[in-house]
């Protein structure tokens, strides 16, 4: 920890691991700032869950909707359920719900070792890449116009 003197107030700088209180406060503050700056309100959560017949989680998707944009955060399908159309089913359900809620676009990013080609097959187009992912990989940013 270090103490710094500012113009009127001393501040204490600390570096650490997970801090749920900090994460929540930053989320609240940035959400309020973004809502005020855009007039688009606050992001609303969207989840799609896929359970097997035994009630165990077979896959899922988390996303948020902000204004007319739906952003997919995470998509996962259990190993024994992959390559059977489960991911596409999750994405179709999310897209349908996003359109129902007034969205006209979706965004997602996927590391090159994950599934950028999967998203391309679903009609997403690449809008950029970020270098520096461990192992020499990239983060691929994708966009899709929906509901038209």
């Amino acid at each position: 920890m270090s103490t710094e003197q500012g113009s009127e107030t001393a501040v204490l700088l600390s570096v650490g691991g997970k801090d749920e209180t900090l994460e929540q406060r930053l989320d609240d503050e940035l959400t309020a700032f973004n809502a005020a700056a855009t007039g688009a309100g606050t992001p609303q959560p969207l989840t799609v869950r896929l359970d097997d017949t035994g009630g165990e989680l077979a896959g899922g998707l988390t996303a948020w909707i902000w204004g007319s944009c739906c952003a997919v955060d995470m998509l996962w399908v259990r190993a024994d359920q992959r390559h059977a159309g489960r991911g596409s089913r999750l994405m179709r359900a999310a897209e349908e719900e996003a359109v129902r809620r007034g969205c006209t676009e979706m965004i997602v990013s996927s590391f090159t070792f994950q599934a950028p080609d999967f998203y391309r097959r679903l009609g997403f187009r690449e809008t950029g890449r970020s270098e520096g992912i461990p192992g020499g990989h990239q983060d691929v940013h994708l966009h899709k116009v929906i509901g038209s």
Side-chain angles (χ1 to χ4, degrees):
M1 277 194 239
S2 65
T3 303
E4 299 174 8
Q5 294 293 335
S7 57
E8 296 181 19
T9 309
V11 294
L12 181 63
L13 178 68
S14 60
V15 178
K18 185 157 183 73
D19 184 334
E20 291 180 13
T21 303
L22 177 63
E23 287 180 30
Q24 186 61 57
R25 177 68 184 272
L26 295 178
D27 190 311
D28 293 346
E29 295 291 342
L30 289 170
T31 296
F33 178 86
N34 294 346
T38 64
T42 59
Q44 299 300 309
L46 169 63
T47 61
V48 183
R49 182 183 180 103
L50 184 64
D51 292 321
D52 64 21
T53 55
E56 295 296 318
L57 182 65
L61 178 150
T62 62
W64 47 266
I65 293 176
W66 187 37
S68 63
C69 182
C70 176
V72 176
D73 281 325
M74 294 186 282
L75 170 67
W76 171 81
V77 176
R78 196 173 67 206
D80 68 320
Q81 296 293 314
R82 293 179 189 151
H83 309 291
R86 309 289 193 238
S88 296
R89 185 174 175 197
L90 290 163
M91 286 296 293
R92 276 193 309 276
E95 183 174 331
E96 288 169 7
E97 180 61 15
V99 168
R100 190 188 72 72
R101 294 191 198 182
C103 292
T104 57
E105 59 191 320
M106 287 182 85
I107 57 175
V108 65
S109 68
S110 180
F111 297 130
T112 49
F113 61 86
Q114 291 176 325
D117 289 337
F118 164 76
Y119 294 108
R120 286 187 192 98
R121 286 191 300 274
L122 295 176
F124 285 80
R125 66 177 180 78
E126 184 175 327
T127 58
R129 288 179 181 236
S130 298
E131 304 286 334
I133 305 305
H137 296 283
Q138 300 167 332
D139 190 0
V140 181
H141 311 283
L142 302 120
H143 176 269
K144 179 180 181 181
V145 174
I146 59 174
S148 42

